[in-house]
Amino acid sequence: MKRYKDTVVEDYADNRKWIWIFACIVLALVSFFGISKWATSVDTYSGVIETLKNHQEKAFEMTGTSVVLSTGVAAVPGDATTPIANKLADLAGYMMIVYAAILIEKYLLTLTGFIAFKICLPIGFMLAAAGRLFRTQWKGFFYRIAAKCVILGLLLWCLVPVSAWVTNWINDTYENSYSISSDLVEESRKAVHDSIENSDTGVLKFVTGLNLPTPTAQS
C-alpha cells in the first residue's frame, strides 16, 4: 500500500512537471509569435506617439525662443545683460537635450517591444521550463534567471508608455500655467524680433521692460 501511494505521488508530481513545462513553452511561443507583433506595431502606440510629438514640438519651440532671447539680450550694449544671455544660451542647450531624448523615446517604443516579447520573455519562459527538469541547485538557478528575464522585459516595455502617461498627467494638472507661459514666450519672441529690427535702443527698451532679476554680488 505504501508503494502504491508513493507511485501515485510520483505520477502526480510528474504530471505537474510536464504541465508546467508545456505551459511555459506555450507562453514563450505566444510571446514570440503573437504578442510581439502587437508590441512592435506602430499603431499600438498611436496615443503615446502623439503625446511625444506634442512634447517634441514644445521642446523645439522653447529651444528657438531661448536662442532668440539670448541673441536679443546679447545685442544690448554693455556687459550688464551678459549673464542673462549666457543663461538663456544654456537653457537652449538643455532644451536641445530634451528634444533629442523625446526623439529617442519615439524609436524606443517598438524597439523595447521587440526586445521584451521576442527575446526576454521567450528566453525567460524557456529557462523556467528547463529548470523544472532539474532537482538540484540548478533548478533554483534557472528559475532566478528566468524571473529576471521576464521582469526585465516587462520593465523595458513599460518604460516609455509609463513615462508618457506621467507626463500627460503632469501637463493636465498644470495646463493653465503652461498656457500662460506659452503666451508670454510668444509675446517675448515677437518683442525681441521687433526690437532687433528697429535699433539697439529698441532692444534696450525691451530688456528693460522684461523686469528680469539683476545678478547681485555675493559676499
Side-chain angles (χ1 to χ4, degrees):
M1 190 67 177
K2 184 176 181 181
R3 291 182 179 179
Y4 175 75
K5 289 183 178 180
D6 292 341
T7 302
V8 172
V9 172
E10 289 178 0
D11 291 341
Y12 178 71
D14 288 339
N15 290 336
R16 289 184 59 186
K17 178 180 71 174
W18 291 112
I19 290 173
W20 171 269
I21 293 173
F22 177 77
C24 290
I25 293 175
V26 169
L27 288 174
L29 294 176
V30 169
S31 175
F32 188 87
F33 293 105
I35 302 177
S36 63
K37 293 182 180 179
W38 172 81
T40 55
S41 175
V42 178
D43 297 333
T44 304
Y45 310 99
S46 57
V48 179
I49 291 176
E50 185 65 25
T51 298
L52 294 176
K53 183 179 179 181
N54 293 334
H55 296 161
Q56 191 175 0
E57 291 176 355
K58 289 180 181 180
F60 188 77
E61 290 177 0
M62 291 298 295
T63 302
T65 301
S66 300
V67 172
V68 172
L69 289 174
S70 176
T71 304
V73 172
V76 177
D79 297 333
T81 58
T82 299
I84 301 175
N86 292 336
K87 291 296 183 181
L88 289 172
D90 293 339
L91 178 61
Y94 298 148
M95 294 308 301
M96 280 300 297
I97 295 175
V98 173
Y99 179 85
I102 295 174
L103 186 63
I104 292 173
E105 280 188 334
K106 290 174 66 176
Y107 290 102
L108 283 178
L109 279 173
T110 54
L111 180 61
T112 53
F114 177 87
I115 294 174
F117 295 101
K118 281 275 191 182
I119 299 176
C120 291
L121 265 68
I123 291 177
F125 290 133
M126 294 304 293
L127 288 175
R132 199 71 174 86
L133 298 173
F134 295 91
R135 293 186 178 179
T136 60
Q137 60 182 0
W138 287 101
K139 182 177 182 179
F141 173 77
F142 275 99
Y143 282 170
R144 286 193 297 271
I145 300 299
K148 290 179 180 179
C149 287
V150 173
I151 293 173
L152 176 62
L154 292 177
L155 289 178
L156 284 175
W157 178 66
C158 293
L159 179 62
V160 177
V162 169
S163 65
W165 177 82
V166 172
T167 304
N168 279 337
W169 178 73
I170 295 175
N171 286 341
D172 292 340
T173 304
Y174 299 99
E175 183 176 1
N176 294 331
S177 299
Y178 286 156
S179 178
I180 295 173
S181 299
S182 298
D183 294 338
L184 291 175
V185 166
E186 187 64 25
E187 291 177 1
S188 300
R189 183 192 301 178
K190 292 180 180 178
V192 170
H193 185 270
D194 295 340
S195 299
I196 294 176
E197 285 186 349
N198 292 333
S199 62
D200 292 340
T201 306
V203 176
L204 182 60
K205 291 180 179 179
F206 162 73
V207 175
T208 305
L210 282 179
N211 294 325
L212 296 171
T214 55
T216 57
Q218 298 180 354
S219 58

